Amino acid sequence: VAAPPGSEALGMLEAATAGPLATLPRLRALRSVGPSPSQLWQDRAPPGDFGGDSSMGRHGMAVAAEPFMLSACNTEVVDPRLEHTAELWSPDVKALAQLLPNPSDAVDLEMQQFLHLLWAFRDASEHVALAPGHKHVLLTFCGSVLPEDLVKIAISSAMSPFHERITLHAVGLGPRGLLREPLNSFCKLVQSGSLTWEVQEHKDWAAFLDWLPEQGPINLFSLLRNLEPELKRRCASKGGAAWVQLTVDPVERLRRWTEVVSADDVI
């Protein structure tokens, strides 16, 4: 099933005829049943939203909580387990907030709504539940100020009800890139206390691309506005996805942040 560009405004879907992907027109979204991700994306980069189901299981963005694409949530109903007053933040959150230009705004309304959703769906149903996916965050630049999205990912993981598995990939930052401030302090924070991030260095893009084929499906979160088609293709061909534009509405972020699992597998 394919969605042509501009069709989201009209709610249009088109059934695509079976055949080579090269014969399809430019797409905004694609869902497939049957072909494996390596078959789908051997020679072509995926569209902005893609995924499917094959004998290997779900792949691409279909691993995420797909029903949330069509859902809405009343975020005015506050979970009593959450307190966003700065005085009540955990030591980890307070330390991370100090890395932002305005620490008092570390947990803004958008993040509050997202955290409310995480906590609301924390309690599993009898059979299925949401669980955190293993997130791989791509960092390719860092000056005297940390990217705000990176710090807010860390704060979200510290306030999440789940045990969040996050790997930070520093690509092309130079031999002393991780030792420069404020990145050095950030890396120490996310690898201590309640946070258990992993940090991996890659000399350059070529080294990172060489690393990718050795892995299974990964969910890659980029701080960039866009990524090279080849990087998107490699992630997709392994059954994963590369997400860009981290600042999205809370329900869409919940879809990207989690995956559907058996209730017995909730962490």
Side-chain angles (χ1 to χ4, degrees), residues 49 68-69 243 248-257:
D49 198 314
F68 287 114
M69 295 181 68
W243 300 94
V248 293
D249 69 82
V251 175
E252 171 63 11
R253 186 173 176 188
L254 181 71
R255 180 174 83 96
R256 300 180 181 192
W257 195 267

Side-chain angles (χ1 to χ4, degrees), residues 91-111:
D92 291 332
V93 173
K94 289 180 180 178
L96 288 166
Q98 293 303 313
L99 298 175
L100 291 170
N102 191 349
S104 62
D105 292 336
V107 185
D108 56 19
L109 178 59
E110 186 177 84
M111 187 184 293

Side-chain angles (χ1 to χ4, degrees), residues 123-130 260-264 266:
D123 298 324
S125 68
E126 184 178 353
H127 300 292
V128 297
L130 292 186
V260 179
V261 299
S262 166
D264 295 335
V266 175

Side-chain angles (χ1 to χ4, degrees), residues 113-244:
Q113 293 175 339
F114 168 63
L115 289 167
H116 292 163
L117 290 173
L118 273 183
W119 280 90
F121 286 99
R122 172 63 177 89
D123 298 324
S125 68
E126 184 178 353
H127 300 292
V128 297
L130 292 186
H134 184 177
K135 297 168 235 345
H136 294 260
V137 180
L138 188 61
L139 179 66
T140 59
F141 63 94
C142 190
S144 59
V145 178
L146 285 168
E148 188 170 326
D149 282 343
L150 177 62
V151 180
K152 291 199 170 185
I153 289 175
I155 291 173
S156 296
S157 67
M159 301 183 77
S160 170
F162 300 109
H163 173 68
E164 301 281 357
R165 292 184 60 203
I166 300 179
T167 300
L168 176 66
H169 296 271
V171 180
L173 298 187
R176 296 182 58 82
L178 292 179
L179 298 178
R180 299 192 187 101
E181 295 295 347
L183 184 56
N184 183 45
S185 294
F186 174 83
C187 289
K188 288 180 179 178
L189 283 171
V190 297
Q191 295 180 92
S192 61
S194 63
L195 298 172
T196 56
W197 286 31
E198 296 179 31
V199 178
Q200 294 189 19
E201 290 186 84
H202 306 270
K203 181 180 178 181
D204 49 29
W205 276 110
F208 182 70
L209 289 175
D210 287 342
W211 173 85
L212 274 177
E214 301 175 4
Q215 312 306 310
I218 71 166
N219 280 324
L220 186 66
F221 289 79
S222 173
L223 301 177
L224 302 172
R225 290 184 177 273
N226 206 348
L227 291 170
E228 291 294 326
E230 177 61 14
L231 179 55
K232 295 179 180 180
R233 187 197 68 77
R234 292 200 187 196
C235 285
S237 68
K238 298 293 289 185
W243 300 94
V244 295

Side-chain angles (χ1 to χ4, degrees), residues 32-40 52-59:
S32 66
V33 177
S36 69
S38 60
Q39 292 173 319
L40 283 169
D53 206 330
S54 69
S55 59
M56 299 169 57
R58 290 173 297 168
H59 55 84

